[in-house]
Amino acid sequence: MLSEQAKQAIEIAKTIKKQQSNALKPEQVNFLRADADKNTGVPIPENMRLETVTNPAKGEHYILNNGNDNTVLLFIHGGAYATGSVKSRRKLCFELLNRLNCDGFSVDYRQWPEARHPAAQEDVLAAYNFLKQKYNHILVFGESAGATLALTLTLQLKFDNAKLPDKIALFSPVITQVNTVASEYLMQERDPMLLGAGDPVPYFEHPYAKDPLISPIYGDFTGFPPVMINCGSEEVKYDDSKILNYLCQKDGVDVTWNVWQDLFHVFVLFDMPETTQALNKIANFLK
């Protein structure tokens, strides 16, 4: 049974869904980013300090007081490669860092309309390489488009025969930019957060390309580190998680798939008991 807070979150999510359209305009992107930063951005807690990094990577580096200085969490926000931001996802990142007792880096990757693929891929790779010089162990968490980037980062590292992350936690991943899997249609009315079966996001110039660095559904996951997938049972991206779980199993990956009953796309952005449960489970996996 859903908590009262979850029921309230569903009503809030419905108002977010009403702001969406299949023809996103640049001025809408600027408004949505600023609105999210204003309403959900939080200050840096007393138990950590912020180092703003601009070169060679760009993002916010969070240093925990007395934290594990050998391990770092690379945090990759979502937002359809357009509307997300580092500031608006701070609370989610801090919740994970405090559970893990390690430093974190939230990468400020380029998005549409300022940039197009592979800008975000390049920025996430730069952040990973920056952290590799400072830490022995890198954990990766991504939500929505950030989960896609967590996968494409690891696929690229594998192509380059580079060291892979220790573990990867994904929330509501998107594995194909072509929105034609069954749940895009079946869950349209049930997902309070996202529209289904829409046009590809404008960030990709060639969204139909069979390129694993665009749509990880075409990737080879052999040799991947342990992966945890989380999604809501009601989201239009449900089948993305289902297919990814199958592909990981097929390629011999140590994969865990959690489906959160009656919940929606990236529900961990909301304060509710179900979020606490999910974050505890993710932190236990990453540890």
Side-chain angles (χ1 to χ4, degrees), residues 64 66-72 101-103 134-137:
L64 259 70
N66 303 313
N68 180 350
D69 58 5
N70 286 320
T71 301
V72 66
N101 192 38
C102 72
D103 296 348
K134 296 177 176 292
Y135 298 90
N136 294 327
H137 302 287

Side-chain angles (χ1 to χ4, degrees), residues 7-115:
K7 293 175 184 177
Q8 294 170 11
I10 287 172
E11 295 306 310
I12 295 171
K14 288 178 180 177
T15 67
I16 296 172
K17 187 174 182 177
K18 288 179 180 177
Q19 299 177 41
Q20 298 171 27
S21 70
N22 285 330
L24 195 64
K25 296 179 174 59
E27 56 270 24
Q28 289 176 288
V29 170
N30 294 330
F31 169 79
L32 292 171
R33 282 186 204 163
D35 187 61
D37 284 352
K38 177 182 176 182
N39 292 316
T40 60
V42 297
I44 307 301
E46 291 184 0
N47 69 326
M48 63 182 76
R49 59 185 171 85
L50 167 65
E51 290 184 356
T52 301
V53 178
T54 57
N55 189 48
K58 186 177 180 184
E60 292 190 342
H61 193 187
Y62 310 120
I63 314 297
L64 259 70
N65 300 337
N66 303 313
N68 180 350
D69 58 5
N70 286 320
T71 301
V72 66
L73 177 71
L74 175 59
F75 182 95
I76 313 174
H77 70 75
Y81 300 93
T83 59
S85 71
V86 166
K87 185 176 180 180
S88 68
R89 301 304 200 272
R90 274 181 179 173
K91 188 175 188 303
L92 176 56
C93 184
F94 297 160
E95 291 280 359
L96 286 169
L97 297 185
N98 284 324
R99 285 169 168 81
L100 295 169
N101 192 38
C102 72
D103 296 348
F105 188 95
S106 186
V107 55
D108 185 10
Y109 60 88
R110 288 168 290 170
Q111 304 181 88
W112 185 85
E114 297 86 0

